[in-house]
């Protein structure tokens, strides 16, 4: 039996167009029973329209919503006032300048390098600094192409029209990625300052390049499947064909992004530090990245070795305290797979607050398009009142949104501050990568309730979670299928 308060809420939420609510409700359904219809009746819809427009409120809504953006009309002023850029816990170095991924899907690379750069800025006493996102982008595209072709060779016996091959062919070499994938890139290729490999046109506007690569890889996939089907040992018979394909992908990438620095060859970075003193450093990309694990860098970064960070996720469909992974999701063959330690939101937020109190920024993944405004930079579930405009709620839970593919990790950003009241977080400061014209000069604010609903991932230092959480990494992971929402690439 439902509690009285629950019954009252159900009655209040139920939309009655004509008849008054019955005193007796059974299973959330009004007393009147209508015959089931499998078709749309024109006469019924016109009757609904007549009854709808008898209400002056609906006539006002019609006039307003047909002439304006519904999100703008339904934005609640109270939410814009409440979400200020004031925080009582904030890292001492947030990183500057505000970055801009422009017309590309590289948010994960920007978020990751925005975390990495803080340690470098502290180490070398810098006021502003950017790592080259394009450098990692180049190698990621090349590695993803190889990873895709390897998956095609490994699945030559799968049905071309089956869900697995359909998913692989859907986005062979997309711009997006995950934390473990950027960790792979840094381990194999290192890092370089942006000044030594700046964005080309096709790095900042990647659509044409991605379309060309996608078309070629789909063409290669059919060719490899055809060749592989003729041989009992596909990999032995496809070596020459695959090498030719990879050489063509390399050609396209090099001509559109420019030749990148050699990971093992010397580069010379010249810069002015915060005191306007000229400095020069000669190193290799691999050594430059490895410097993040040096004692000097770890000390400068409050004891954190960025190479040891790992992903917590909140996936309420699956058991907490469980290691999750996604089948056939990755970018570099033979390196670490995508791994998530599934925890409740309290565990995730507690770790984040502890890291911010220790001056460590946090890479996180979320569904940024829900209940948010890119111009104001506000993310709050109370920001847009859809019920006011349409007399109906968007009532899916977080688990249900994942089950129905309504939501997923679509964007990666960085946490740099939190406002805590009575030991509970109220709002969070977010560094985005959409330039200074978005949000408050590039900064967003996220309500804690929005975090509960639409944040799925936070990359944390193992020092700030319990041993039980750390030990989850030792488990054999539960493998999710490639099309699972947790396989979405930010």
């Amino acid at each position: 039996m439902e509690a009285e308060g629950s019954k009252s809420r159900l009655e209040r939420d139920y939309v009655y167009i004509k008849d008054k609510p019955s005193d007796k409700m059974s299973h959330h359904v009004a007393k009147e029973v209508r015959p089931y219809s499998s078709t749309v009746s024109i006469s019924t819809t016109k009757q609904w329209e007549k009854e709808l427009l008898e209400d002056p409120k609906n006539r006002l809504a019609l006039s307003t919503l047909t002439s304006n953006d519904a999100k703008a009309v339904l934005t609640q002023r109270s939410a814009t006032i409440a979400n200020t850029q004031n925080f009582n816990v904030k890292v001492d170095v947030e990183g500057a300048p505000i970055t801009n991924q422009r017309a590309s899907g590289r948010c994960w690379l920007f978020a990751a390098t925005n975390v990495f750069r803080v340690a470098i800025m502290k180490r070398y006493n810098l006021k502003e600094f950017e790592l080259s996102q394009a450098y990692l982008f180049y190698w990621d595209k090349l590695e993803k192409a190889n990873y895709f072709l390897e998956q095609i060779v490994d699945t030559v016996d799968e049905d071309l029209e089956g869900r697995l091959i359909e998913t692989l062919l859907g986005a062979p070499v997309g711009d997006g990625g995950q934390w473990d994938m950027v960790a792979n890139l840094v381990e194999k290729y290192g890092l370089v300052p942006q000044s030594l490999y700046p964005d080309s046109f096709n790095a900042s506007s990647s659509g044409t390049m991605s379309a060309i690569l996608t078309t070629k890889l789909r063409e290669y996939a059919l060719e490899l499947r055809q060749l592989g089907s003729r041989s009992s040992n596909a990999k032995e018979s496809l070596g020459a064909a695959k090498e030719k394909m990879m050489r063509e992908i390399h050609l396209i990438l090099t001509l559109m992004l420019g030749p990148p620095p050699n990971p093992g060859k010397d580069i010379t970075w010249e810069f002015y530090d915060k005191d306007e003193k000229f400095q020069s450093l000669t190193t290799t990309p691999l050594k430059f990245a490895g410097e993040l694990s040096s004692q000097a860098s770890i000390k400068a970064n409050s004891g954190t070795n960025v190479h040891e960070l790992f992903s917590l996720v909140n996936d309420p469909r699956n058991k907490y305290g469980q290691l999750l992974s996604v089948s056939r999701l990755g970018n570099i063959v033979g390196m670490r797979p995508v791994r998530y330690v599934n925890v409740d939101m309290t565990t995730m937020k507690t770790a984040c607050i502890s890291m911010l109190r220790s001056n460590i920024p946090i890479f996180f993944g979320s569904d940024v398009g829900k209940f948010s405004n890119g111009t104001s930079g506000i993310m709050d579930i109370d920001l847009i009142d859809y019920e006011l405009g349409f007399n109906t709620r968007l009532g899916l839970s977080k688990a249900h949104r994942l089950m129905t593919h309504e939501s997923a990790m679509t964007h990666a950003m960085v946490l740099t501050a939190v406002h805590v009241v009575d030991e509970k977080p109220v709002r969070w400061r977010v560094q985005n990568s959409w330039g200074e014209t978005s949000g408050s000069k590039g900064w967003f604010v996220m309500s804690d309730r929005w975090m509960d609903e639409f944040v799925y991932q936070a990359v944390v230092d193992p020092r700030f979670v319990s041993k039980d959480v750390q030990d989850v990494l030792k488990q054999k992971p539960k493998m999710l299928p490639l099309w699972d929402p947790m396989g979405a690439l930010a």
Side-chain angles (χ1 to χ4, degrees):
M1 180 179 291
E2 293 176 339
E4 183 61 30
S6 177
K7 180 178 179 182
S8 298
R9 178 180 60 78
L10 287 168
E11 291 179 343
R12 185 171 62 252
D13 291 350
Y14 191 85
V15 180
Y16 294 88
I17 300 298
K18 185 174 181 179
D19 301 321
K20 293 182 179 179
S22 168
D23 290 336
K24 296 181 180 180
M25 297 180 66
S26 175
H27 301 293
H28 309 178
V29 180
K31 183 178 180 180
E32 183 179 4
V33 177
R34 296 183 184 275
Y36 178 83
S37 175
S38 61
T39 61
V40 176
S41 165
I42 295 176
S43 62
T44 299
T45 59
K46 299 311 288 184
Q47 179 62 28
W48 290 345
E49 179 185 302
K50 177 179 179 297
E51 294 171 1
L52 175 73
L53 297 179
E54 286 175 353
D55 188 336
K57 174 192 168 184
N58 289 332
R59 294 200 298 275
L60 175 62
L62 173 68
S63 177
T64 304
L65 294 171
T66 55
S67 305
N68 298 277
D69 176 8
K71 288 185 177 181
V73 170
L74 301 174
T75 293
Q76 299 303 292
R77 188 167 182 263
S78 58
T80 63
I81 293 172
N83 288 285
T84 66
Q85 285 284 350
N86 298 305
F87 307 90
N88 54 15
V89 177
K90 188 177 181 182
V91 299
D92 56 359
V93 176
E94 293 184 294
I98 288 294
T99 54
N100 193 340
Q101 67 190 77
R102 295 182 172 84
S104 72
R106 299 176 292 163
C107 62
W108 62 297
L109 294 175
F110 277 76
T113 52
N114 285 347
V115 169
F116 295 147
R117 72 173 172 178
V118 169
I120 296 171
M121 291 176 71
K122 291 180 179 179
R123 174 77 172 84
Y124 294 101
N125 189 33
L126 303 174
K127 182 179 179 181
E128 293 189 345
F129 177 68
E130 274 192 74
L131 286 160
S132 173
Q133 305 89 6
Y135 177 76
L136 296 175
F137 190 53
Y138 177 99
W139 293 115
D140 181 64
K141 288 289 188 184
L142 190 65
E143 289 285 359
K144 275 183 182 161
N146 181 67
Y147 193 93
F148 169 77
L149 295 178
E150 285 297 303
Q151 301 310 306
I152 293 300
V153 170
D154 195 48
T155 57
V156 290
D157 295 327
E158 293 279 343
D159 184 357
L160 180 62
E161 297 182 357
R163 192 170 188 179
L164 175 58
I165 303 302
E166 179 184 348
T167 304
L168 286 170
L169 292 172
V173 65
D175 284 3
Q178 260 300 338
W179 177 263
D180 288 303
M181 295 163 73
V182 74
N184 287 340
L185 292 169
V186 173
E187 181 179 342
K188 184 171 180 179
Y189 296 103
L191 295 165
V192 301
Q194 192 195 55
S195 59
L196 299 183
Y197 192 69
D199 272 7
S200 68
F201 173 86
N202 293 294
S204 59
S205 183
S206 60
T208 298
M209 181 180 71
S210 292
I212 294 170
L213 293 172
T214 296
T215 298
K216 287 303 297 182
L217 287 168
R218 287 170 176 163
E219 174 188 324
Y220 295 156
L222 293 179
E223 184 179 341
L224 286 175
R225 284 176 61 86
Q226 185 177 35
L227 292 172
S229 65
R230 300 172 185 167
S231 171
S232 58
N233 192 326
K235 289 193 175 183
E236 286 187 5
S237 64
L238 298 178
K242 187 194 162 204
E243 182 176 348
K244 179 177 180 295
M245 294 169 183
M246 284 301 299
R247 187 167 184 173
E248 289 179 351
I249 294 296
H250 174 269
L251 179 149
I252 294 167
L253 284 170
T254 302
L255 296 182
M256 299 189 81
L257 294 178
N262 186 317
K265 297 290 186 180
D266 280 351
I267 55 174
T268 299
W269 172 39
E270 298 177 340
F271 60 97
Y272 288 98
D273 65 19
K274 194 183 296 185
D275 301 321
E276 295 299 320
K277 293 181 179 178
F278 175 82
Q279 305 287 350
S280 178
L281 175 68
T282 297
T283 185
T284 70
L286 284 170
K287 289 179 181 178
F288 190 56
E291 175 70 15
L292 292 174
S293 295
S294 71
Q295 288 302 312
S297 292
I298 291 173
K299 182 178 179 180
N301 201 34
S302 304
T304 289
N305 182 344
V306 296
H307 293 302
E308 294 179 354
L309 305 181
F310 71 96
S311 291
L312 300 180
V313 295
N314 176 246
D315 179 357
R317 301 171 305 163
N318 288 294
K319 184 176 69 174
Y320 294 144
Q322 183 177 39
L323 187 63
L324 304 176
S325 187
V326 181
S327 177
R328 299 186 183 277
L329 182 67
N331 62 342
I332 302 183
V333 174
M335 296 192 72
R336 68 197 255 186
V338 171
R339 299 181 305 166
Y340 304 127
V341 175
N342 195 27
V343 298
D344 57 66
M345 285 304 298
T346 298
T347 299
M348 182 184 291
K349 289 191 284 189
T350 298
C352 289
I353 293 171
S354 296
M355 287 181 67
L356 294 174
R357 282 179 168 151
S358 297
N359 290 311
I360 306 163
I362 301 149
F363 175 112
F364 77 102
S366 68
D367 191 353
V368 73
K370 301 291 195 300
F371 291 91
S372 65
N373 184 300
T375 301
S376 65
I378 293 174
M379 299 176 287
D380 188 337
I381 62 172
D382 294 323
L383 181 64
I384 303 167
D385 191 346
Y386 291 107
E387 186 176 6
L388 174 65
F390 303 106
N391 200 29
T392 187
R393 293 182 180 183
L394 304 182
L396 292 175
S397 68
K398 192 174 192 177
H400 291 158
R401 285 191 289 270
L402 289 169
M403 291 175 186
T404 57
H405 291 253
E406 166 66 16
S407 185
M409 285 184 276
T410 60
H411 191 52
M413 298 177 283
V414 178
L415 296 174
T416 65
V418 61
H419 190 67
V420 180
V421 177
D422 296 329
E423 294 303 311
K424 294 183 179 179
V426 176
R427 59 182 176 271
W428 304 74
R429 179 165 162 89
V430 176
Q431 184 183 69
N432 205 348
S433 55
W434 292 348
E436 291 191 355
T437 59
S438 186
S440 177
K441 295 183 179 179
W443 294 94
F444 279 45
V445 58
M446 170 177 69
S447 75
D448 191 63
R449 291 178 64 205
W450 192 94
M451 186 180 196
D452 284 335
E453 295 296 327
F454 296 109
V455 168
Y456 293 100
Q457 174 191 29
V459 174
V460 301
D461 185 323
R463 294 182 299 149
F464 298 100
V465 296
S466 69
K467 186 176 184 301
D468 287 343
V469 173
Q470 295 177 42
D471 286 346
V472 174
L473 288 168
K474 301 175 184 177
Q475 295 179 8
K476 181 179 179 180
K478 174 182 178 180
M479 299 302 297
L480 305 174
L482 185 58
W483 50 85
D484 189 271
M486 283 293 151
L489 298 179

